[in-house]
Structures are given as structure tokens and as C-alpha cells.
Amino acid sequence: MHSEVVASRSAEQRDSRESRNGTPHLDAVSLAIIEQLQEDGRRPYAAIGKAVGLSEAAVRQRVQKLLDQGVMQIVAVTDPLTVGFRRQAMVGVNVEGDVESIAEALTDMSEVEYVVMTAGSFDILAEIVCEDDDHLLDVINKRIRALPGVRSTESFVYLKLKKQTYMWGTR
Amino acid sequence: MHSEVVASRSAEQRDSRESRNGTPHLDAVSLAIIEQLQEDGRRPYAAIGKAVGLSEAAVRQRVQKLLDQGVMQIVAVTDPLTVGFRRQAMVGVNVEGDVESIAEALTDMSEVEYVVMTAGSFDILAEIVCEDDDHLLDVINKRIRALPGVRSTESFVYLKLKKQTYMWGTR
DNA sequence: GCGAGATCTGCGGATTCCGCAGTCTTGGCG
DNA sequence: CGCCAAGACTGCGGAATCCGCAGATCTCGC
């Protein structure tokens, strides 16, 4: 343990440029903070500070900013299938016309918890969480396929979740 | 606000049965606690207690238990594409023979952060996070397709993450 | 050279976390 | 039917943490 990321505090720190998609640039210290919180979202600021070489207050300010910017969120995650939602599925969507607007429409549906635009035989992948079969059927057939511009969909009903990690930063 | 889930504290509470897959049964109070932590993973125990009608200590014990049991995890989540990982993809896998063992093998790969067994034209869906194209190519062609029992794969490279929520409990 | 803006540090004071002892309820068993 | 063990909740203090704020530092641009 005790990785000690030394803050080079000069060129790197001040770098507040934004990349093309509007997401802020992250320096090594912020990445290290995120890494700490990927291991344990409730880790005290002081402990994080010791690990990344910053004061408690500085860590607190950075974390707050990362949350405000939407770069990261600290939340409880579960397997929906173990928490009362009995049907979950990934839906591949093919679109004609504006992909972005369809993605937007999917984003607005509360049953859809994950939307990503992809390259490949689907234009969009969307993960759906439902109460039961009827609900799932309704969302896919009545709501998604009804969107103007949706050419076709293909569904993959979840049988069992095997892995769900967020610690890519720590490998 | 202030939903006040009254603990019926009799039949419901004591229910420690396990469902078929080994995951413990969750009562209404635990679900309410999870819901609180889905909104904010750092919310103080006292505040959660007020919302669900329990003492601070009781909430703390329940949360600890949920974490120990693996029912939920409190972590920071980000969009990998904004945090230095330049290639991400969903891979659909078709298997001949034992699906479970292939899923297990995928689970053991550090680049794979999400594995789910499905019904549909794929047996398994796996989400991959990589540094760059070479890395992604290596994982898919050299590692996944090399697994004995993998009949075929299809990849969907991520272009843009549009939505990522964990608040299904609060809709 | 100098001011604006952003970040970091170093404080208290309020709040929260944490362990523990005691109470209450349930379920098993002789 | 009585008793005991297990599990869950409450209340309570002491330690640790969170939080806001003032001041110091650094960078950048004019």
C-alpha cells in the first residue's frame, strides 16, 4: 500500500483544459483520488489525502468538484436481480437518421439505466431494468420500437450477473 | 421527501431466508437504505436512519452487513473514456459446452469489468475496458477467442456513453 | 510588476463514526 | 410451558471525521 503519488504541482496541476467532448482534463492526483474511492466510496478524506499526498481539505475540495462536474459519482451499486427487479435485458438498437436523438430519448426512460452509442452491428446498446416480463415487453415493444427512427432491435435477457467491478483504476 | 418507511418489525424483519441463488432476502427497510445510498453513497447514517425510521447504529449495522454479504457495494463510478481509458467495448460471446466456465474465465480477466449470462443470440455479454486499440485487439483476439469452448464473438466498440444511473430504486 | 483566479494548508467547532453494554423479540428445545 | 441462545435495535460516550473559512502560494495574462 501507500502508493504516494507525488503532486508535481506545476505544469500538471493547473491544467484545466477541456477535451473535445466537454469533459475536463484530469491530472494524476485526481485519478489517484478516484482510484481510492473506487476501492471504498466511504473512505475518509484524511486517509485519501495521506495516500495521494494532499491535505484533507484539498481532497475534500477536489472530490466535491469531481462530483459537481459529473466526472464521478459515489453511489451504492447492486445486482438489480437480487433487489426485486426480476427482468433485466440489454437491447441492441439500429437507427436510421439521427442516432443522437434516439439515444437521448432512451436516456429519458426511467427503466433504462445505461445507454451507449457504439460502432458495430448496433448503433446503440441500452440496458433495461424491469419489474417483470410484462413490464419488459412493454418497454421494448411499445416504447422503444415506437420511437421514430428506430429500424430494429434485438434483446438479450439477463440470466445471471457474474461480475460487476469499478476498480479498473487499481490493476 | 421524508418517505418514512415504517418497520413492521414482526413477520417481515426476522426473515433471513435465502432465495435459490444464495442471495439473502431483503426486507423493505434494507431496500429503503439502499435507495438512500443510491442517491448519495456518502450520506450520513443518521440522515438515513431518519428517512427509514431506524437509529443511527441500526443503519450502520445493516449497511455493514449488506456490504459484507456482497449485496451492495459503495464505490465511485466514472465514465472510463473520460479517465484515460481510450477504448471500451461490449463483446457478445457464443459458447459450445459449459457456459458457466467460460463466464468464469472472463470474470478472471482484469480488463473485463462486467460479465452477464444472457438468453438470446449471445450466451454471454462482457464489457471490456482497455488502454488503446492494441490492448483491445489483444484481449479480444488473443485472450477471449482463445478460450476453449468459445465458438464466436462479436464486438461493439463504445463511441460515447450517454447514461449511467444506479437510482432505479428511486423512480 | 501586479492583480485575478484557482488551489492548497491549517485551523477550530459541529457533526459523524464507532464500539459496547443493555433491551427486546423470536425460535428452538427439553 | 419455561428457559436459553441468537439476532436486531437503542442509547451513549469518546474518538475520528467533516466542514467552512481565512490566509498563503502559485500561475497566468496584461
Side-chain angles (χ1 to χ4, degrees):
Chain A
M1 298 306 125
H2 224 299
S3 318
E4 273 298 342
V5 176
V6 178
S8 60
R9 193 65 53 73
S10 45
E12 184 125 42
Q13 196 66 270
R14 206 92 291 333
D15 196 344
S16 289
R17 286 171 308 186
E18 297 199 356
S19 45
R20 220 170 318 107
N21 50 7
T23 50
H25 180 259
L26 299 179
D27 62 25
V29 180
S30 288
L31 286 178
I33 291 174
I34 292 175
E35 196 166 316
Q36 293 286 319
L37 290 170
Q38 283 178 326
E39 291 180 19
D40 175 6
R42 273 182 169 261
R43 184 162 298 168
Y45 295 129
I48 298 173
K50 194 169 299 183
V52 307
L54 235 53
S55 70
E56 181 265 352
V59 172
R60 178 154 37 89
Q61 289 162 18
R62 285 211 185 214
V63 169
Q64 191 54 53
K65 192 166 156 189
L66 290 171
L67 295 174
D68 290 343
Q69 289 174 149
V71 174
M72 130 186 119
Q73 37 183 335
I74 300 177
V75 293
V77 298
T78 64
D79 175 0
L81 292 178
T82 72
V83 201
F85 290 85
R86 296 194 286 202
R87 283 295 176 266
Q88 198 175 356
M90 185 71 75
V91 178
V93 182
N94 278 304
V95 175
E96 56 186 353
D98 185 20
V99 178
E100 191 93 27
S101 67
I102 298 291
E104 216 74 56
L106 291 171
T107 294
D108 290 340
M109 299 183 187
S110 62
E111 292 90 348
V112 175
E113 70 164 13
Y114 193 68
V115 175
V116 58
M117 295 168 54
T118 62
S121 63
F122 295 126
D123 296 311
I124 299 174
L125 287 176
E127 193 180 56
I128 301 180
V129 177
C130 286
E131 320 275 355
D132 52 41
D133 289 320
D134 288 340
H135 191 188
L136 180 60
L137 201 62
D138 185 70
V139 171
I140 295 176
N141 286 341
K142 302 275 174 53
R143 314 255 304 275
I144 296 181
R145 299 181 102 116
L147 291 174
V150 170
R151 192 195 305 272
S152 64
T153 69
E154 182 169 356
S155 305
F156 307 91
V157 174
Y158 283 19
L159 299 177
K160 185 184 176 87
L161 182 61
K162 296 287 291 183
K163 184 178 187 179
Q164 192 180 24
T165 313
Y166 302 92
M167 299 201 292
W168 42 259
T170 65
R171 65 185 189 221
Chain B
M1 296 305 127
H2 223 299
S3 318
E4 273 298 343
V5 176
V6 179
S8 62
R9 190 66 52 74
S10 45
E12 185 125 42
Q13 196 67 268
R14 259 292 99 279
D15 196 344
S16 288
R17 287 171 306 186
E18 297 197 357
S19 45
R20 221 172 315 108
N21 51 6
T23 50
H25 179 258
L26 299 179
D27 62 26
V29 179
S30 288
L31 287 178
I33 291 174
I34 292 175
E35 196 166 315
Q36 292 286 317
L37 290 170
Q38 283 178 327
E39 291 180 18
D40 176 6
R42 273 181 170 264
R43 184 162 296 169
Y45 295 129
I48 299 173
K50 194 169 300 184
V52 306
L54 235 55
S55 70
E56 180 267 351
V59 172
R60 178 155 37 89
Q61 290 162 18
R62 285 214 186 211
V63 168
Q64 191 54 53
K65 192 165 156 190
L66 290 171
L67 295 173
D68 290 342
Q69 288 173 152
V71 174
M72 110 186 141
Q73 38 184 333
I74 300 177
V75 294
V77 300
T78 63
D79 174 1
L81 292 178
T82 72
V83 200
F85 289 85
R86 295 193 287 198
R87 283 294 176 265
Q88 197 175 356
M90 184 71 75
V91 179
V93 182
N94 278 305
V95 175
E96 58 187 351
D98 186 20
V99 177
E100 191 93 29
S101 67
I102 298 291
E104 216 73 57
L106 291 171
T107 294
D108 291 339
M109 299 182 188
S110 63
E111 292 90 348
V112 176
E113 70 164 14
Y114 194 67
V115 175
V116 59
M117 295 167 53
T118 62
S121 63
F122 296 126
D123 296 311
I124 298 173
L125 287 176
E127 192 180 56
I128 302 179
V129 177
C130 286
E131 320 276 354
D132 51 38
D133 290 318
D134 288 340
H135 191 189
L136 180 60
L137 200 63
D138 185 71
V139 171
I140 294 175
N141 286 340
K142 301 275 173 53
R143 314 254 305 275
I144 295 180
R145 298 182 102 113
L147 291 174
V150 170
R151 194 195 301 272
S152 65
T153 70
E154 182 170 355
S155 305
F156 307 91
V157 174
Y158 284 18
L159 298 178
K160 183 182 178 90
L161 182 62
K162 294 287 291 184
K163 183 179 187 180
Q164 192 180 23
T165 313
Y166 302 92
M167 299 202 290
W168 40 261
T170 65
R171 69 186 187 217

